[in-house]
Structure formats: structure tokens, C-alpha cells
């Protein structure tokens, strides 16, 4: 057999899914956008709708969107390839890096609603609190975060599409974001939430089917047989740094290093990603904390289960005739490019499995691409154009620049991903390296919302010091360990681990020291006074200002948000203790190789957890009002809330503004209709 693995599907299948499904989703979302405007008064030509979905997204849809954020192709492919390399502890560490960060975002989300109820982007908070210099610095950090996350995802997805169909990798890199750009252009963040839900619905069904298919394939046949096959494989090729050289142990040096690296790195990838903040801004007050907590806890299962099944199945099947590379083993390039899971799916399910995985990769890619496009376009329109180019921008002009941002993103990111590909940089390199660049902004960003004592000087100095130290440590460690600074050395575990830890922790003492040298105290009410909603017309102002200011600052609402903030803090600490310290870290101390009974229990629990995630992602949004809204749209009716809102707007001004239940806000940014 040739060393070149033959693609199980024809190129036409690749183009059909990437282009055909992209167009289908684009057309579908254009129809949905129009239906939402008719039934719920959701106007995608309003900045409030386009950027933050009118802040009316419910618990179920928020949870589903959070889960979707961790179904990105890098997670599915990366968890499998690293489990194949280092063992089953990897999936737990990856899951912990997702759940802990999302639960922490529940705290960020509710605190943002308490202190900046009208915020559209993270960068608005920075500009209002720290001024222009800090704002420009954060624009750089946030854009780098979004660009690197998007590029990493696109690199892995395009490589997987190419391996499954033989489609040219550059073509898949450029075409994957095309359909996404179209429906994001027309639908904004609301379209992102809805497509996230639809994609997640399909992906979760495929993933559950895939785990079962792996177990029942003839060459495996049962959980016990999978255990026996992995034990046999480990005798021939033991894993260096693992207890007993086994994949089936939690005492794995590389898994521990990756776990520390990824938990810290994901902190930067989440906190500095404006897309996650916008999802928090878009949730209504009652949904922010439960949506993020439920989604965060549920998101743990996907990298755990899929990483375990995909990685261990590759170990077990690689020496069998059904594996695509047989009789040779996978090359290091194939592994780091993320081809472990595609090869496993080809082996256990043939062309049908390849087609299902192709669809999964496409949907996982497009969900993340849409969120990233909204995040980057919001920075371009709101934080660059609306802040520095045209300070009196109208609502229509902001929407126009948001559209321009979507188009630019859909062209620039594939170009950058292609450059990475041609330069020898793969998904795994970006996965390991990104924390060195994004983490220095984490602590100052969190303090900007949670600590009134951080000064302007501290906010500016600490991330600059952090990134300088992290890059120095990262590159210096790579040179010390390997005697050179190259793609291979800089993408290795230890240099990235030392650099990432430095990037995260150095800004903490720096910002504390600078803040205490010349202390000051920030007045949180400034956020509410200076950050205002974007209105389509000046005629919307008087009634909305009066009603919203009365509703938002009622004693009952203040008390509710304070209570939710305490719950968010509890779940953050609880998840960190449970998913990091009491599970993988504690089990690292146990010098054991799993027995067959323990391994069986491990697999069964991971499957139950995966089914729980399916219920939360697929069916809870329907129960939480989604089914009723779908029925209203399908019948072409107008919801009672939209009718009342429309009547009020017409009585007050004769103009229409964004719909949905009114809630947050103390002020309104009045924009002349152009």
C-alpha cells in the first residue's frame, strides 16, 4: 500500500459540503432573519440586534451556544490526537480547561450586567475606564486572540476536510468561511446563536453515534476488548513519561504539562476573546449565570469522551488492516495535523463515517467562524471606526462597517491560515503557542471589571511587561532545550508551558505593585453613565430612557443580580476544585494503570456525561421557549410581545427600533437615522 492515504470520499463531496451546505445555511438564515423580524420585531439592521441580540437570549440557547463554542474542530481533533500520543488523562484535562473557564465567564457576565448593562464589547469597558492608550493596546490583544483562535481552527478543519475528500487544502481553507460570512453578514449575533444551536444539534447526534460505532466495530467489539487492545499496543510501544508506559493511567507527565498549559492558556483564549463577552452581553439577566454554568458543566464531556474514544481507538486499530495507514503507523506530521480522528472514523464506519465526520467538521468550523466574525467585525465597527474614525457614527454606518468587518475577516483569516500552512505551522503549534501571546491581558482585563483599585498605569504597564517576559521565556527556553529557535522547538511542550505560565502570572504582581504605588478608586457608575445603547432614531430616546432607568435599577433587580453573582462565584470555585484539583490532579498522584473494571466504569460514565450534554444542547433550548418560538415563526404569526412593543414605538415616534422584551440600560446613545 502506498504511504499516501487515499481519501475515502471524492473531491465533489468536499466541495458539495463546504460550498453547498454553506450556501444552504446562508439562504436558510436569511429566511430566518426575515421571519424573526416579522414575528419578534428582531431588526438585524439595528446595531443592538446585530452585536448583542437585544440582550434577550434565554438560558437554553445560551447554554447551547456555550457548548457549541467548545465543539470547535480543534477540540475534536486535538483531544483525539493528544490522547493517542499521551493517554486517557488528556481528555479530562482538556474538558477541565473548558468547563472552568466557562463557569468563570458566568461571573464575568453577571458582573458586566451589574456595572455596564449597555456594553457591546469588552473594549468599551477598557476605553471608558482607562482611556485611549489602554483601549488601543487591548484592541491589539483582542484582535490577536481572535485571529489566532480562528486560524488554528481553520488549519485543523481544512486539513481534516482534505484528508476525508482529497479536496485542495487551500481551497477548503478559503471556502469554509464563505457561507458563514454570508449568514453572519445578514443575521448578526442572533444568527450566530441560531446556527450554533442547529449545528450543535447535528454534531451531538453524530458524536454519540460515533462513540457507539467505535465500541461495536468488529475489530474491537466491547469496552473490555478495547482495554485489551490498548494494553497489548502499549507493550509494543510504551508511552514515555507515563506510569508503566501505559495510555491507561492518569499519571502522565505530558498530560499534566498539557493540562496546566491548556487550563491557563484557555483562560487567555476566553477572557481576551470578545466573542465570549458578547454572548454574555446578549443573554438576558435571568439567563446569564444559569446559561453559562449549565453550558460550562456540559461542555466538559465532549473533549473527554471524544478524546478518549478517538485516541484509544487509534491506538487499538492502528495495527489492524482496517486502519487507513496500515501496515505503517501514522507519521508525526499526520498526527500533529489532526488526522487521528478522521483515520479512526474511516476505519470503523467507512464512507458513511467519513461523510458524517466531514459534516461535523464543517459545522464545528462554521459555528466558531461565525462567532469570530462577529467579534472581529464588532471591534472594527464599534471600537475602531465608531471610536476613532467617525465619533458621531449613525446606527446605519456602524452596521455598514460591521458588514465590512465580516467580509474582511472572511478573506484575511483564510489568507493567514494558508500562510501558516505553507510555512509549516499546524494546528497543534498554534494550540500550544497561543497562550504566550494572549495571557498577559487576562489579569488586567478581569480586574477592569472586578477590582476598582486597578489604576490606568497598572492596566497599561502590566500586560506589556507580561508579554515581554513571556516571549523571552518562551523563546529562551526553546533555545536551552533544543539548541535552536525553530517551529519544532517553539511548539514543544516545555517552552510553551514556561512561557504561558509566565504570561499569566507576571502581570498579577505588576498590576498590584503599580496600583498600590499611586492608588485610586474607580466609580462603577461611570460605566452605566458613559456606555449607552445604540438607537436608530432620536425619537426613541425619551420614553426608552425613562422606562429603562426605572426598570434596571429597581432594588429587586439589584438584589437578584447580587445573588446571581454569588452563585456564579460558587460555581466557578466548585468547578475549578472538582474538574481540576480533585479529579485529574489528585489522580495524578495514584501510581496505577487502570484495571479493566475501572476502565469500563470510566467509559460508561463518559458516555452518560456525553448524553447529558446532548440533552442540554439539543432539547433544553426547545423546552426553554424555543419550541414555542419556532411554532410562531412557522405559522407566520406575530408574538404578543412584539405586537405590544411595536404599538408602543409607533405611538411614541412612528419609528421602529429593535424588538424583544425591554430590559437593560440607563442611557441611550442617540444616533440620527441616515
Amino acid at each position: 500500500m502506498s504511504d499516501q492515504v487515499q481519501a475515502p470520499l471524492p473531491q465533489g463531496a468536499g466541495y458539495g459540503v463546504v460550498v453547498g451546505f454553506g450556501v444552504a445555511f446562508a439562504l436558510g438564515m436569511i429566511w430566518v432573519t426575515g421571519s424573526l423580524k416579522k414575528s419578534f420585531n428582531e431588526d438585524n439592521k439595528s446595531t443592538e440586534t446585530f452585536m448583542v441580540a437585544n440582550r434577550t437570549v434565554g438560558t437554553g440557547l445560551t447554554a447551547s451556544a456555550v457548548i457549541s463554542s467548545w465543539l470547535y474542530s480543534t477540540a475534536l481533533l486535538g483531544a483525539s490526537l493528544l490522547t493517542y500520543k499521551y493517554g486517557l488523562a488528556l481528555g479530562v484535562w482538556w474538558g477541565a480547561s473548558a468547563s472552568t473557564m466557562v463557569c468563570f465567564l458566568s461571573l464575568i457576565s453577571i458582573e458586566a450586567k451589574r456595572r455596564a448593562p449597555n456594553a457591546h464589547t469588552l473594549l468599551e469597558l477598557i476605553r471608558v475606564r482607562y482611556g485611549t492608550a489602554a483601549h488601543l493596546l487591548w484592541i491589539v490583544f483582542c484582535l490577536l486572540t481572535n485571529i489566532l483562535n480562528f486560524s488554528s481552527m481553520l488549519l485543523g478543519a481544512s486539513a481534516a476536510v482534505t484528508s476525508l475528500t482529497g479536496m485542495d487544502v487551500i481551497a477548503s481553507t478559503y471556502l469554509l468561511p464563505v457561507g458563514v460570512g454570508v449568514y453572519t453578514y445578514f443575521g448578526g449575533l442572533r444568527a450566530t446563536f441560531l446556527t450554533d444551536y442547529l449545528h450543535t444539534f447535528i454534531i451531538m447526534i453524530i458524536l454519540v453515534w460515533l462513540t457507539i460505532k467505535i465500541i461495536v466495530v468488529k475489530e474491537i467489539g466491547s469496552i473490555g476488548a478495547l482495554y485489551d487492545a490498548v494494553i497489548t499496543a502499549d507493550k509494543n510501544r510504551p508511552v514515555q513519561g507515563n506510569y508503566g508506559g501505559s495510555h491507561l493511567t492518569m499519571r502522565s507527565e505530558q498530560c499534566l504539562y498539557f493540562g496546566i498549559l491548556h487550563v491557563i492558556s484557555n483562560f487567555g483564549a476566553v477572557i481576551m476573546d470578545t466573542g465570549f463577552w458578547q454572548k454574555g452581553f446578549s443573554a438576558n439577566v435571568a439567563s446569564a449565570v444559569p446559561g453559562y454554568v449549565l453550558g460550562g458543566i456540559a461542555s466538559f464531556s465532549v473533549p473527554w469522551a471524544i478524546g478518549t474514544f478517538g485516541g484509544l481507538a487509534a491506538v487499538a486499530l492502528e495495527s489492524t488492516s482496517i486502519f487507513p495507514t496500515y501496515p505503517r503507523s501514522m507519521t508525526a506530521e499526520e498526527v500533529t495535523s489532526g488526522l487521528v480522528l478522521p483515520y479512526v472514523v474511516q476505519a470503523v464506519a467507512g464512507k458513511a463515517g467519513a461523510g458524517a465526520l466531514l459534516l461535523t467538521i464543517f459545522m464545528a468550523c462554521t459555528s466558531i467562524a461565525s462567532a469570530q466574525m462577529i467579534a472581529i467585525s464588532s471591534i472594527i465597527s464599534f471600537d475602531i471606526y465608531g471610536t476613532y474614525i467617525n465619533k458621531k457614527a449613525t446606527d446605519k454606518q456602524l452596521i455598514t462597517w460591521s458588514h465590512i468587518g465580516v467580509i474582511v475577516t472572511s478573506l484575511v483569516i483564510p489568507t493567514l491560515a494558508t500562510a501558516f500552512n505553507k510555512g509549516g505551522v499546524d494546528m497543534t503549534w498554534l494550540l500550544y503557542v497561543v497562550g504566550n501571546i494572549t495571557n498577559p491581558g487576562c489579569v488586567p482585563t478581569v480586574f477592569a471589571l472586578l477590582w476598582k483599585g486597578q489604576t490606568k498605569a497598572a492596566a497599561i504597564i502590566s500586560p506589556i511587561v507580561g508579554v515581554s517576559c513571556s516571549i523571552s521565556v518562551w523563546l529562551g527556553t526553546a533555545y536551552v532545550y533544543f539548541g535552536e529557535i525553530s517551529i519544532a522547538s517553539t511548539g514543544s511542550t516545555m517552552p510553551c508551558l514556561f512561557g504561558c505560565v509566565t504570561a499569566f502570572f507576571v502581570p498579577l504582581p505588576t498590576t498590584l505593585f503599580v496600583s498600590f504605588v499611586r492608588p485610586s478608586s474607580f466609580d462603577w457608575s461611570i460605566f452605566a453613565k458613559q456606555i449607552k445603547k445604540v438607537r436608530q432614531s432620536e425619537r426613541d430616546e425619551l420614553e426608552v430612557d425613562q422606562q429603562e432607568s426605572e426598570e434596571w435599577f429597581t432594588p429587586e433587580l439589584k438584589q437578584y443580580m447580587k445573588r446571581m453573582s454569588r452563585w456564579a462565584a460558587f460555581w466557578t470555585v466548585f468547578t475549578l476544585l472538582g474538574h481540576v484539583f480533585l479529579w485529574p490532579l489528585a489522580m495524578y498522584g495514584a501510581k496505577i494503570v487502570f484495571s479493566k473494571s475501572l476502565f469500563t466504569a470510566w467509559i460508561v460514565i463518559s458516555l452518560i456525561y456525553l448524553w447529558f450534554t446532548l440533552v442540554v444542547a439539543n432539547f433544553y433550548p426547545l423546552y426553554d421557549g424555543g419550541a414555542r418560538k419556532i411554532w410562531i415563526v412557522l405559522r407566520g404569526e406575530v408574538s404578543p410581545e412584539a405586537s405590544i412593543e411595536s404599538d408602543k414605538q409607533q405611538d411614541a415616534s412612528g419609528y421602529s427600533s429593535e424588538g424583544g422584551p425591554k430590559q437593560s440600560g440607563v442611557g441611550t446613545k442617540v444616533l440620527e437615522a441616515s
Side-chain angles (χ1 to χ4, degrees), residues 501-524:
V501 170
T502 301
F504 183 79
F505 285 105
V506 165
L508 177 59
T510 305
T511 191
L512 292 175
F513 175 77
V514 176
S515 295
F516 288 138
V517 168
R518 298 188 64 181
S520 66
S521 182
F522 182 72
D523 181 3
W524 296 119

Side-chain angles (χ1 to χ4, degrees), residues 476-650:
T477 307
Y479 185 80
V480 168
Y481 268 81
F482 302 98
E484 63 176 4
I485 296 178
S486 62
I487 292 175
S489 66
T490 55
S492 298
T493 302
M494 298 312 292
C496 291
L497 175 61
F498 286 125
C500 190
V501 170
T502 301
F504 183 79
F505 285 105
V506 165
L508 177 59
T510 305
T511 191
L512 292 175
F513 175 77
V514 176
S515 295
F516 288 138
V517 168
R518 298 188 64 181
S520 66
S521 182
F522 182 72
D523 181 3
W524 296 119
S525 66
I526 292 176
F527 279 148
K529 293 175 182 177
Q530 294 192 23
I531 300 178
K532 304 175 187 291
K533 277 192 175 182
V534 178
R535 296 288 174 190
Q536 289 179 303
S537 169
E538 190 170 338
R539 303 183 187 187
D540 294 333
E541 178 182 12
L542 296 178
E543 180 184 1
V544 174
D545 274 358
Q546 181 180 0
Q547 186 175 13
E548 288 187 345
S549 60
E550 291 172 357
E551 290 177 358
W552 189 259
F553 289 102
T554 60
E556 294 81 5
L557 188 53
K558 284 184 177 180
Q559 188 61 34
Y560 174 80
M561 289 191 291
K562 190 174 182 179
R563 186 169 68 253
M564 285 294 100
S565 181
R566 289 196 294 267
W567 272 110
F570 165 78
W571 279 107
T572 299
V573 174
F574 181 80
T575 308
L576 182 65
L577 289 175
H579 284 178
V580 176
F581 292 102
L582 298 181
W583 190 347
L585 196 58
M587 289 189 73
Y588 178 81
K591 296 181 179 181
I592 61 168
V593 174
F594 279 26
S595 65
K596 184 176 290 189
S597 58
L598 177 58
F599 179 74
T600 301
W602 185 273
I603 293 295
V604 170
I605 293 171
S606 72
L607 283 174
I608 293 172
Y609 207 153
L610 189 66
W611 278 86
F612 164 73
T613 303
L614 182 143
V615 171
V616 171
N618 290 18
F619 300 109
Y620 184 61
L622 297 177
Y623 172 78
D624 190 40
R628 181 184 69 86
K629 292 182 178 180
I630 291 172
W631 182 244
I632 290 174
V633 169
L634 291 178
R635 294 185 64 179
E637 298 176 349
V638 178
S639 69
E641 298 94 335
S643 297
I644 295 171
E645 185 73 13
S646 180
D647 290 342
K648 285 183 178 180
Q649 291 165 0
Q650 290 176 5

Side-chain angles (χ1 to χ4, degrees), residues 5-231:
V5 176
Q6 296 298 313
L9 299 173
Q11 287 192 27
Y15 285 101
V17 169
V18 172
V19 179
F21 274 85
V23 172
F25 273 109
L27 294 176
M29 288 315 305
I30 291 172
W31 174 79
V32 168
T33 300
S35 300
L36 288 174
K37 184 175 182 180
K38 176 183 177 182
S39 298
F40 300 100
N41 206 14
E42 291 278 357
D43 186 4
N44 65 306
K45 294 182 180 179
S46 157
T47 297
E48 291 294 320
T49 302
F50 191 90
M51 292 178 64
V52 289
N54 290 326
R55 309 169 204 274
T56 60
V57 179
T59 301
L61 201 55
T62 299
S64 181
V66 167
I67 295 169
S68 176
S69 298
W70 296 101
L71 286 175
Y72 59 107
S73 53
T74 308
L76 300 177
L77 302 173
S80 299
L81 79 87
L82 291 173
T83 299
Y84 167 80
K85 291 178 67 175
Y86 303 131
L88 56 69
L90 193 286
V92 179
W93 278 112
W94 196 307
S97 72
S99 59
T100 52
M101 293 307 102
V102 174
C103 287
F104 179 71
L105 273 178
S106 69
L107 177 61
I108 292 293
S109 178
I110 195 64
E111 287 300 317
K113 291 187 178 299
R114 290 180 66 195
R115 292 166 178 170
N118 295 323
H120 303 84
T121 69
L122 156 66
L123 297 167
E124 270 187 306
L125 306 179
I126 301 300
R127 176 179 55 81
V128 169
R129 180 161 181 181
Y130 301 122
T132 300
H135 186 237
L136 293 173
L137 179 62
W138 256 260
I139 287 177
V140 174
F141 272 116
C142 291
L143 281 177
L144 282 173
T145 302
N146 290 121
I147 288 170
L148 292 175
N149 287 342
F150 197 170
S151 298
S152 176
M153 178 273 300
L154 201 53
L155 274 173
S158 59
V161 169
T162 299
S163 75
L164 291 169
T165 67
M167 183 179 176
D168 183 78
V169 68
I170 296 178
S172 62
T173 301
Y174 275 94
L175 291 175
L176 276 169
V178 169
V180 190
V182 174
Y183 72 69
T184 304
Y185 181 100
F186 286 101
L189 190 62
R190 177 70 72 176
T192 295
F193 273 98
L194 296 175
T195 51
D196 279 353
Y197 171 69
L198 181 58
H199 290 172
T200 303
F201 193 99
I202 297 171
I203 290 171
M204 288 305 305
I205 292 174
I206 293 175
L207 294 181
V208 168
W209 167 79
L210 177 60
T211 56
I212 297 172
K213 188 67 176 176
I214 288 173
I215 292 298
V216 302
V217 68
K218 183 178 66 175
E219 284 74 8
I220 296 178
S222 67
I223 298 174
L226 176 61
Y227 175 87
D228 292 335
V230 174
I231 290 291

Side-chain angles (χ1 to χ4, degrees), residues 1-8 11 159-169 323-331 333-334 337 339 343 346:
M1 181 178 179
S2 170
D3 282 350
Q4 182 66 38
V5 176
Q6 296 298 313
Q11 287 192 27
V161 169
T162 299
S163 75
L164 291 169
T165 67
M167 183 179 176
D168 183 78
V169 68
F323 204 74
T325 64
Y326 182 81
R328 68 173 176 85
S329 299
M330 286 182 284
T331 65
E333 183 181 357
E334 288 173 322
S337 295
L339 301 185
Y343 285 169
Q346 291 177 50

Side-chain angles (χ1 to χ4, degrees), residues 325-389:
T325 64
Y326 182 81
R328 68 173 176 85
S329 299
M330 286 182 284
T331 65
E333 183 181 357
E334 288 173 322
V335 173
T336 58
S337 295
L339 301 185
V340 172
L341 185 60
Y343 285 169
V344 169
V345 173
Q346 291 177 50
V348 302
K351 290 187 176 181
L357 185 62
L358 176 63
L359 186 60
T360 299
I361 296 298
F362 168 76
M363 292 190 169
C365 176
T366 53
S367 288
I368 302 303
S370 181
Q372 294 294 338
M373 285 181 182
I374 288 290
I376 295 174
S377 68
S378 297
I379 294 174
I380 292 173
S381 64
F382 215 84
D383 293 293
I384 297 177
Y385 175 76
T387 302
Y388 299 109
I389 299 175

